[in-house]
Amino acid sequence: MIRSDVLKALIPVISDHFTVCNIGLPSQEMHMMDDQPTNFYMLGTMGLSSSIGLGLALAQKQKVISIDGDGSVLTNFGTLPTIANNVADNFILLIIDNGSYGSTGDQPTYAGQKTSLAAVASACGCENVVECQAEDAVETMKAALASDKMTIIVCKCESGNIPVPVITMDPVVIRDRFMTEMAKRNA
Amino acid sequence: MSVDDKIVQDFVNNKVELVTTVPCKQLAGVIDKIDACKDIYHIPSNKEDEGMGICAGAFMGGKRSAIIMQNTAIGVTVNTLATLTQYYRMPLPMLISYRGELGEPVACQVEMAVHTKAILAQLNIPTYHFHHEDDVAELDKILQYTFMCNKPVAILTDASFWKGY
Ligand SMILES: [Mg+2]
């Protein structure tokens, strides 16, 4: 399974929750397969999906899932200690780890070599870290959602991409649609 | 009232409920007060762009936030300011210690000081410079302005303002 297969399998489970979709293909794939107000698409700013998701989770009560990548987490490694030390039990960080910078042409990352992101997250102090294979992503996500505990999921999958259109929505429209839905659910 | 207390009071009065910080010697006092303030959730960041991501999330979750950092961070965060804070039109007060100005003992700090205002101007970021202690009186209005226009706004605070560093 490649990232788009993992997302496709996860959509029935995560569709009703707020997601922060990482820059590039993860956002484009979520936009193509399940566009809706609860999706926040990052059009730029590599690395900050987990930080935005943490800020969202700390600010309100709805569950927030950051859909991140191995390359992006490597770019913003400082996020893991911050997450570990600021526990938000409505936050799930899903790192789809295909061992490559998928959006830029599948250049290998260190996460696909010697570096274990799950081990790093644990060493940073994150308490519920689960590494799973792509085939188990749905069950792992269901368990994390049911636990009501902040969870870091490192989902290992194969690298590879499907053709997807770029997102042409205006950023302020993405943001306003997302915030309106969030305010509605928190009302 | 001390400058540190006034800053924290203005944050609270403007309903800033989350503040992220990356430390600077000049900011040590105000960061301590932020940490002690029960109306503000203080979340230290490891890097300033990470902090701006947290602030973006807090804003979308319905809470006002701010970042406290050193001016060297302006060099670190240009992409985040342009492609996140500005592109999605989000408010972000940035209380910035302006190192490398008069009274600076560390020569290297001057190297980023000479670029700080130029970078902020290039990004069209409204910029205020606190040089005298009394300048802090404007902070309340600057915060109101920031949340009115949904832009990142810089408040540079130099060594003279802090009465040394
Ligand atoms: Mg990847």
Side-chain angles (χ1 to χ4, degrees), chain B residues 3 11 33 37 40 51 54-55 91 93-94 101 113 115 120-121 130-131 150 153 162:
Chain B
V3 159
F11 278 161
K33 299 273 186 188
C37 176
I40 292 175
I54 293 167
C55 288
M94 302 186 287
E101 279 287 299
H115 296 298
L120 289 166
F130 289 0
H131 181 60
N150 281 358
V153 172
W162 294 109

Side-chain angles (χ1 to χ4, degrees), chain A residues 119-159:
Chain A
V120 172
S122 295
C124 288
C126 295
E127 277 155 12
N128 307 293
V129 181
V130 187
E131 183 174 300
C132 72
Q133 298 302 312
E135 292 71 20
D136 302 320
V138 172
E139 286 315 307
T140 306
M141 180 58 75
K142 278 184 183 168
L145 285 165
S147 75
D148 289 325
K149 290 284 173 201
M150 186 170 80
T151 306
I152 318 296
I153 302 171
V154 181
C155 176
K156 306 288 271 187
C157 72
E158 291 166 46
S159 66

Side-chain angles (χ1 to χ4, degrees), chain A residues 70-71 96 98 100-102:
Chain A
D70 52 313
I96 301 185
N98 59 4
S100 71
Y101 292 103

Side-chain angles (χ1 to χ4, degrees), chain B residues 95-116:
Chain B
L95 184 74
I96 302 168
S97 69
Y98 193 11
R99 295 292 304 270
E101 279 287 299
L102 299 184
E104 176 63 56
V106 181
C108 187
Q109 292 288 358
V110 181
E111 297 303 314
M112 272 309 290
V114 299
H115 296 298
T116 298

Side-chain angles (χ1 to χ4, degrees), chain A residues 157-178:
Chain A
C157 72
E158 291 166 46
S159 66
N161 300 307
I162 56 170
V164 279
V166 296
I167 298 170
T168 56
M169 285 175 77
D170 188 277
V172 180
V173 172
I174 295 170
R175 193 263 280 168
D176 184 66
R177 186 176 75 153
F178 184 86

